[in-house]
Amino acid sequence: MLPQKFLSDLEVAIGVKAMITNQDDIAPYMIEQRGRFIGQTSLVVTPATTQEVSDIVKLCAEHSIGIVPQGGHTGLVSGGIPFAGDNAIVLSTSRLNKIRTIDPTNNTMVVESGCILQTIQEHAAQHDRLFPLSLGAEGSCQIGGNIATNAGGINVIRYGNTRQLVLGLEVVTPTGEIWNGLRALQKDNTGYDLKQLYIGSEGTLGIITAAVLQLFPKPKEQQTAVLAIKELEDALPLLNLAQSMLGDALTSFELLPRIGIDFSLKHGQGVVDPIEGQYDWYILMEASVAITHSNLKDLFQNYLETAFEKNWVQDGVLAQNKSQSDSFWLLRENITLCQKPEGGSIKHDISVPVSSVPAFIKTANEAVRKMIPGIRPHPFGHLGDGNIHYNLSQPIDMNKEDYLNHWEEVNRIVHDIVHSFNGSISAEHGIGRVKRDENQYYKSAVEMQLMQNIKTALDPKGIMNPGKLIPVS
Amino acid sequence: MLPQKFLSDLEVAIGVKAMITNQDDIAPYMIEQRGRFIGQTSLVVTPATTQEVSDIVKLCAEHSIGIVPQGGHTGLVSGGIPFAGDNAIVLSTSRLNKIRTIDPTNNTMVVESGCILQTIQEHAAQHDRLFPLSLGAEGSCQIGGNIATNAGGINVIRYGNTRQLVLGLEVVTPTGEIWNGLRALQKDNTGYDLKQLYIGSEGTLGIITAAVLQLFPKPKEQQTAVLAIKELEDALPLLNLAQSMLGDALTSFELLPRIGIDFSLKHGQGVVDPIEGQYDWYILMEASVAITHSNLKDLFQNYLETAFEKNWVQDGVLAQNKSQSDSFWLLRENITLCQKPEGGSIKHDISVPVSSVPAFIKTANEAVRKMIPGIRPHPFGHLGDGNIHYNLSQPIDMNKEDYLNHWEEVNRIVHDIVHSFNGSISAEHGIGRVKRDENQYYKSAVEMQLMQNIKTALDPKGIMNPGKLIPVS
């Protein structure tokens, strides 16, 4: 129950239209994509300006009411919903959706946090620029959420994570002050780089209201290929060869297992097998350049020839046109969807050094097979970044619920192996509520304490996204 | 005067050989390159292991003694020396100089903070990799100092600042604990990105003892050119054209004024004028690719042809061989040195959005000429990053000391203009002691408070590099 004084002051500050109190209207903000938890709150606010965000936060601070910032609501770790007992409201950034400015000469644009990622991509393209962040949810996720979770996606190998694409931020702090850090500078060594602290902090240190984004020249030519490999180990020299023969043109280097292709062929719409015959592993790779009249196709063909000569590739196909390259990507995009009809899937979003990916997959496969005979490992994803979505489909003849009951046990085995490779148990999805305790189990006490000290210093009342990422002390 | 108990405990921990107490031996650690200040201390310690650093910090914390970390001692803002009254010792990282490991497949290496930058570059090259950080002091600066100051240099336009080249850190915190954040991962979203806080914090939050560095494929082909332009404004479309016609191959885009070339020809050793005739402004640009058999030369020539057609370039020369490209770079490297014989120089290290560089230079030139008639503006540097070393040589007939007495007054005028362009008063050199108060003048109260809160949270006793970057409260 929120205090009446709080509600009436809020109404004065932002107006009743920006306050959702009816549970039917609140429901969509509470139900997540993966549906593991359902949020609970009595108020969702939808401010339209940074000043309104500031007003809301000041009132919440005064009344010690928690605030859960929510963007496009596409997160996978329950970071964007309040849990029962949190005494928290939801602040939706959906109406903070203006593209403020674009400066193509400086390769920057200033956007509010509620802008949809795809809208930003399109706006940049209209000015012959690329905003390279690209991921499955781009049609509905918001840039504020991308920044708060340091989203990854399919172009990281070339352009980096969201962190590398943000030059400046505007943030409302947990005391309701507005920090204007909207600098459009490539270089600025005038103190602690505060924006870095907010990027990836999952709403626990403040609310991102706007950002300066880094743009790039728009790619003019690209090449896409699917390669079949026999041994997973061969993917490493193949990647290094691509890095030296294609240089910065390499933008994607994705791993697909045969089982993923089988699932996609069986359950996907319009999916075709790109290569005749069956191989254990496939690489989907793409290279692109911002220049016209490049020799990218020749370079790519030389690369493939060298890879064949070295015997690192068994078979391969270079897309001859846009529709063929689209069909390769369709295969990749169907990978997650097409696991669903195969029953329960225990998921991991891990990273290890790129050089350790094959060893990690082998060790983990062996361990989980030993634990649950018949389990079907389905590792796929961003091999070029060392980031594998290590998903495990249930044995064919097992009851789904029985299988999913092993979730935490399996997590522990897989994460122990990740830890032994000095890896990360959350490469791109973040921690939220789902992985909070698991994260604490693996982080050193020194690191947890440093994080806690920062949290306490910046959010002394603990009102920002309570219970997420940082354990409640 | 340091307490006897502190000194005897320290001797037990690190041995007398790692303690320099003789003022003659201490002197080199106190005298800086630019010589604006001379440091003062009674003890320099030279630990050889992270554990020794930890032991030292614990003893300093116990006795509330300040610690000034010092690397290669090449900084320009007096960030690496203790001032009289600081009650601080110097911790030199020179003996923490091991390259721990290199993993060419993962494109990473792990180095201790006292490693010389050039040693790191050479070690990477031996493994057919590039560590792209490159700057004037590379023969003596240490990577720990580069990281603590987020050094820039000549390849930022392509590879980013030091921040973008660091994947993980090992840090001794102000309480003497060792934080092992030596992760060699491209993606890791498991909490606040603590390393970002230490990068660029100038030793005020802890002591960096080791780092995981990002390597790149070694460039195999490169092209270097000097172009003469008539109007400074033409540099902007010229840069954008390079970005779209050369793409990621563009690695340097440096601005040189005619006065700089004149100074270099007059005072430099072996400097030649690259282009017949005299023009107001010159661009030194370089492009490189990691691949062999590229068509970089054709691309570069197409680029130059287009630039001529557009009338953005008056004249230009593409280096025909290594020795010609070296001579172009010699011109650039002589720029700072050859200002010295021309008398006093009031210096600024500023950045603005790239699109504002011409307007900034025009506005600033006008303002300083109005203030000191005959003053000789000499703006040069990393135009591609919006980072201009806005140096001002004295009027020919003025007394040097009289001129330099205007330093702060001129700073204020120039920095006010920088501020009006939403720029930075320290693009790559940092704040240290020299710019501390000036920085505080321009930063918002909100930002200063956030920085202060973080400093207090992580260094409650205020022993880490006291008085630098953050005002002593």
Side-chain angles (χ1 to χ4, degrees):
Chain A
M1 281 294 97
L2 297 166
Q4 198 49 50
K5 174 88 169 75
F6 168 75
L7 289 169
S8 58
D9 285 356
L10 196 59
E11 198 176 318
V12 172
I14 64 171
V16 72
K17 280 192 182 163
M19 296 165 66
I20 305 174
T21 51
N22 179 310
Q23 280 297 327
D24 287 347
D25 299 329
I26 286 175
Y29 295 88
M30 297 298 108
I31 296 161
E32 292 187 296
Q33 197 179 318
R34 280 204 180 154
R36 283 186 70 188
F37 298 100
I38 293 178
Q40 207 170 306
T41 191
S42 57
L43 179 65
V44 174
V45 290
T46 59
T49 65
T50 303
Q51 187 56 53
E52 286 183 355
V53 176
S54 163
D55 292 344
I56 294 164
V57 176
K58 279 183 180 162
L59 284 170
C60 286
E62 190 185 323
H63 293 272
S64 293
I65 292 165
I67 306 168
V68 180
Q70 189 181 100
H73 203 25
T74 61
L76 299 172
V77 291
S78 298
I81 50 169
F83 283 66
D86 279 354
N87 186 34
I89 66 169
V90 164
L91 186 151
S92 165
T93 50
S94 298
R95 288 174 67 220
L96 292 161
N97 60 358
K98 278 182 281 302
I99 291 178
R100 292 192 187 165
T101 56
I102 185 164
D103 179 349
T105 302
N106 196 43
N107 281 305
T108 49
M109 67 194 285
V110 183
V111 301
E112 292 182 352
S113 56
C115 289
I116 304 288
L117 175 52
Q118 193 174 317
T119 309
I120 293 170
Q121 293 166 344
E122 288 166 1
H123 193 82
Q126 282 163 22
H127 291 81
D128 200 33
R129 294 292 181 273
L130 170 75
F131 181 62
L133 184 65
S134 178
L135 44 94
E138 63 195 27
S140 56
C141 65
Q142 296 173 11
I143 193 68
N146 297 145
I147 296 170
T149 60
N150 186 29
I154 56 168
N155 291 328
V156 173
I157 195 171
R158 166 62 189 89
Y159 297 100
N161 297 288
T162 301
R163 184 179 299 283
Q164 277 81 44
L165 305 173
V166 174
L167 290 182
L169 288 181
E170 179 187 83
V171 172
V172 174
T173 73
T175 51
E177 285 172 299
I178 299 168
W179 172 55
N180 181 347
L182 290 175
R183 295 172 200 134
L185 306 173
Q186 298 299 328
K187 288 178 165 180
D188 176 28
N189 281 343
T190 56
Y192 305 151
D193 194 349
L194 297 174
K195 70 173 178 291
Q196 303 290 354
L197 210 45
Y198 296 111
I199 298 170
S201 68
E202 304 187 14
T204 63
L205 298 177
I207 299 167
I208 296 164
T209 51
V212 181
L213 304 179
Q214 176 75 62
L215 306 179
F216 293 82
K218 199 167 142 187
K220 300 293 195 301
E221 292 181 15
Q222 66 183 32
Q223 298 291 334
T224 314
V226 175
L227 311 181
I229 60 177
K230 200 162 59 184
E231 302 290 343
L232 195 48
E233 285 76 4
D234 292 339
L236 298 183
L238 202 57
L239 172 62
N240 282 161
L241 186 71
Q243 285 166 331
S244 67
M245 288 189 73
L246 301 173
D248 306 315
L250 183 67
T251 45
S252 293
F253 196 90
E254 301 280 311
L255 178 72
L256 310 176
R258 180 66 220 178
I259 192 175
I261 296 190
D262 288 340
F263 285 5
S264 295
L265 291 171
K266 195 166 155 198
H267 307 294
Q269 289 279 325
V271 178
V272 291
D273 203 342
I275 292 173
E276 224 177 301
Q278 300 213 345
Y279 300 89
D280 286 352
W281 301 99
Y282 297 80
I283 302 291
L284 168 60
M285 59 184 289
E286 192 160 275
S288 63
V289 287
I291 55 185
T292 47
H293 310 298
S294 78
N295 62 348
L296 183 63
K297 191 162 190 176
D298 291 347
L299 289 172
F300 211 109
Q301 274 164 342
N302 287 346
Y303 164 70
L304 293 180
E305 276 165 33
T306 310
F308 273 108
E309 277 165 25
K310 300 263 189 191
N311 206 24
W312 294 332
V313 171
Q314 303 304 307
D315 202 351
V317 50
L318 187 61
Q320 295 306 308
N321 49 47
K322 178 81 169 64
S323 94
Q324 200 176 5
S325 93
D326 285 349
S327 89
F328 293 171
W329 278 106
L330 186 66
L331 197 64
R332 168 70 180 82
E333 283 148 19
N334 267 282
I335 282 278
T336 321
L337 291 174
C338 295
Q339 281 170 49
K340 268 206 174 146
E342 292 288 330
S345 174
I346 299 177
K347 296 169 194 293
H348 308 82
D349 166 40
I350 69 94
S351 70
V352 292
V354 175
S355 48
S356 301
V357 169
F360 161 74
I361 291 178
K362 292 211 164 171
T363 312
N365 283 359
E366 212 170 289
V368 297
R369 282 185 175 128
K370 201 166 155 190
M371 187 191 165
I372 305 179
I375 197 169
R376 292 172 296 166
H378 186 303
F380 73 100
H382 320 295
L383 175 57
D385 315 317
N387 175 199
I388 300 297
H389 298 302
Y390 188 72
N391 292 0
L392 299 163
S393 283
Q394 65 168 79
I396 292 172
D397 51 4
M398 199 168 183
N399 173 284
K400 182 174 170 179
E401 211 171 314
D402 287 350
Y403 176 70
L404 291 179
N405 283 336
H406 291 286
W407 191 294
E408 290 185 7
E409 214 178 331
V410 172
N411 275 184
R412 179 54 44 88
I413 284 181
V414 172
H415 290 162
D416 275 354
I417 296 167
V418 168
H419 195 63
S420 75
F421 283 103
N422 210 2
S424 168
I425 66 159
S426 190
E428 59 176 13
H429 296 164
I431 297 299
R433 180 65 183 78
V434 169
K435 292 190 183 173
R436 188 191 70 187
D437 299 337
E438 189 76 351
N439 193 38
Q440 194 177 6
Y441 180 84
Y442 290 105
K443 287 260 180 208
S444 68
V446 173
E447 185 159 343
M448 285 309 300
Q449 191 59 56
L450 286 167
M451 281 170 48
Q452 184 68 65
N453 289 352
I454 290 165
K455 169 76 175 172
T456 308
L458 298 190
D459 180 18
K461 288 194 166 181
I463 61 169
M464 285 309 310
N465 214 357
K468 313 296 167 25
L469 185 56
I470 305 281
V472 179
S473 49
Chain B
M1 282 294 99
L2 297 166
Q4 198 50 49
K5 173 87 169 78
F6 168 75
L7 289 170
S8 57
D9 284 355
L10 196 61
E11 197 175 319
V12 171
I14 64 171
V16 70
K17 280 192 180 162
M19 298 166 65
I20 304 174
T21 51
N22 179 308
Q23 281 296 326
D24 286 348
D25 299 330
I26 285 175
Y29 295 88
M30 298 297 108
I31 297 161
E32 293 187 295
Q33 196 179 319
R34 280 202 180 156
R36 283 186 71 189
F37 298 100
I38 293 178
Q40 207 168 305
T41 191
S42 57
L43 177 65
V44 174
V45 290
T46 59
T49 65
T50 303
Q51 187 55 55
E52 286 182 356
V53 175
S54 164
D55 293 343
I56 293 164
V57 175
K58 279 183 180 163
L59 284 170
C60 286
E62 190 185 324
H63 293 271
S64 292
I65 293 165
I67 307 169
V68 181
Q70 189 181 100
H73 203 26
T74 61
L76 300 172
V77 290
S78 298
I81 49 168
F83 283 66
D86 280 352
N87 187 33
I89 66 168
V90 164
L91 186 151
S92 165
T93 50
S94 298
R95 288 174 67 222
L96 292 161
N97 60 357
K98 279 184 281 301
I99 291 178
R100 291 192 188 165
T101 56
I102 184 163
D103 179 350
T105 301
N106 195 44
N107 281 307
T108 49
M109 66 194 288
V110 182
V111 301
E112 292 182 353
S113 56
C115 289
I116 303 288
L117 175 52
Q118 194 175 315
T119 309
I120 293 170
Q121 295 166 343
E122 288 166 0
H123 193 81
Q126 283 163 22
H127 291 82
D128 200 33
R129 293 293 181 272
L130 171 76
F131 182 62
L133 183 65
S134 179
L135 44 93
E138 62 195 26
S140 56
C141 65
Q142 296 173 12
I143 193 68
N146 298 144
I147 296 169
T149 60
N150 185 30
I154 55 169
N155 291 328
V156 173
I157 195 171
R158 166 60 189 94
Y159 296 101
N161 297 287
T162 301
R163 184 179 300 283
Q164 277 81 44
L165 305 173
V166 174
L167 291 181
L169 288 181
E170 178 187 83
V171 172
V172 174
T173 73
T175 51
E177 284 171 300
I178 299 168
W179 172 55
N180 181 346
L182 290 175
R183 295 172 200 133
L185 306 173
Q186 298 299 329
K187 288 178 164 180
D188 176 28
N189 280 344
T190 57
Y192 306 151
D193 194 350
L194 297 175
K195 69 172 179 289
Q196 303 290 353
L197 210 45
Y198 296 110
I199 298 170
S201 67
E202 304 186 13
T204 63
L205 298 177
I207 299 167
I208 295 163
T209 50
V212 181
L213 305 179
Q214 176 74 63
L215 306 179
F216 293 83
K218 200 167 141 185
K220 300 293 195 301
E221 291 181 16
Q222 66 184 32
Q223 297 292 333
T224 313
V226 175
L227 311 181
I229 61 177
K230 199 162 60 184
E231 302 290 343
L232 195 48
E233 285 77 4
D234 292 337
L236 297 182
L238 201 57
L239 172 62
N240 282 161
L241 186 71
Q243 285 167 331
S244 68
M245 288 189 73
L246 301 173
D248 307 314
L250 183 67
T251 44
S252 293
F253 196 92
E254 301 279 310
L255 177 72
L256 310 176
R258 180 65 221 177
I259 192 176
I261 296 190
D262 288 340
F263 285 4
S264 295
L265 291 170
K266 196 167 155 198
H267 307 294
Q269 288 278 325
V271 178
V272 291
D273 203 342
I275 292 173
E276 226 177 300
Q278 300 214 347
Y279 300 89
D280 284 353
W281 301 98
Y282 297 78
I283 302 292
L284 168 60
M285 59 184 289
E286 191 161 275
S288 63
V289 285
I291 55 185
T292 46
H293 310 297
S294 78
N295 62 348
L296 183 63
K297 191 160 189 177
D298 292 346
L299 289 172
F300 212 110
Q301 274 165 342
N302 287 346
Y303 165 70
L304 293 181
E305 276 165 32
T306 310
F308 274 108
E309 277 164 25
K310 300 264 189 189
N311 206 24
W312 294 332
V313 171
Q314 303 303 307
D315 202 351
V317 51
L318 187 61
Q320 295 306 306
N321 49 46
K322 179 81 170 66
S323 93
Q324 199 176 5
S325 92
D326 285 349
S327 89
F328 293 171
W329 278 107
L330 184 66
L331 199 64
R332 168 70 180 82
E333 283 147 18
N334 268 280
I335 282 278
T336 321
L337 292 173
C338 296
Q339 280 170 51
K340 268 204 174 146
E342 293 288 330
S345 173
I346 298 178
K347 296 170 195 292
H348 308 82
D349 166 39
I350 69 93
S351 70
V352 292
V354 174
S355 48
S356 301
V357 169
F360 161 76
I361 290 178
K362 292 211 163 168
T363 312
N365 283 358
E366 211 169 288
V368 297
R369 281 184 174 130
K370 200 167 156 191
M371 186 193 168
I372 305 178
I375 197 170
R376 293 173 295 167
H378 186 303
F380 73 100
H382 320 295
L383 175 57
D385 315 317
N387 174 200
I388 300 297
H389 298 302
Y390 188 73
N391 292 359
L392 298 162
S393 284
Q394 66 167 77
I396 292 172
D397 51 3
M398 199 169 183
N399 172 284
K400 182 175 172 179
E401 211 170 314
D402 287 349
Y403 176 69
L404 291 180
N405 282 337
H406 291 286
W407 191 293
E408 290 185 7
E409 214 178 334
V410 172
N411 275 184
R412 179 53 45 90
I413 284 182
V414 172
H415 290 162
D416 275 354
I417 296 167
V418 169
H419 195 63
S420 75
F421 283 102
N422 209 1
S424 167
I425 66 159
S426 189
E428 57 176 14
H429 296 164
I431 297 301
R433 181 67 184 80
V434 168
K435 292 190 183 174
R436 189 191 69 186
D437 300 338
E438 188 76 350
N439 194 39
Q440 193 177 8
Y441 180 84
Y442 289 105
K443 287 262 181 207
S444 69
V446 173
E447 184 159 344
M448 284 310 298
Q449 191 60 55
L450 287 168
M451 283 171 50
Q452 184 68 64
N453 289 352
I454 291 166
K455 169 75 175 172
T456 307
L458 298 189
D459 180 18
K461 289 194 165 180
I463 61 169
M464 284 309 310
N465 213 357
K468 312 297 166 26
L469 185 57
I470 306 281
V472 179
S473 48

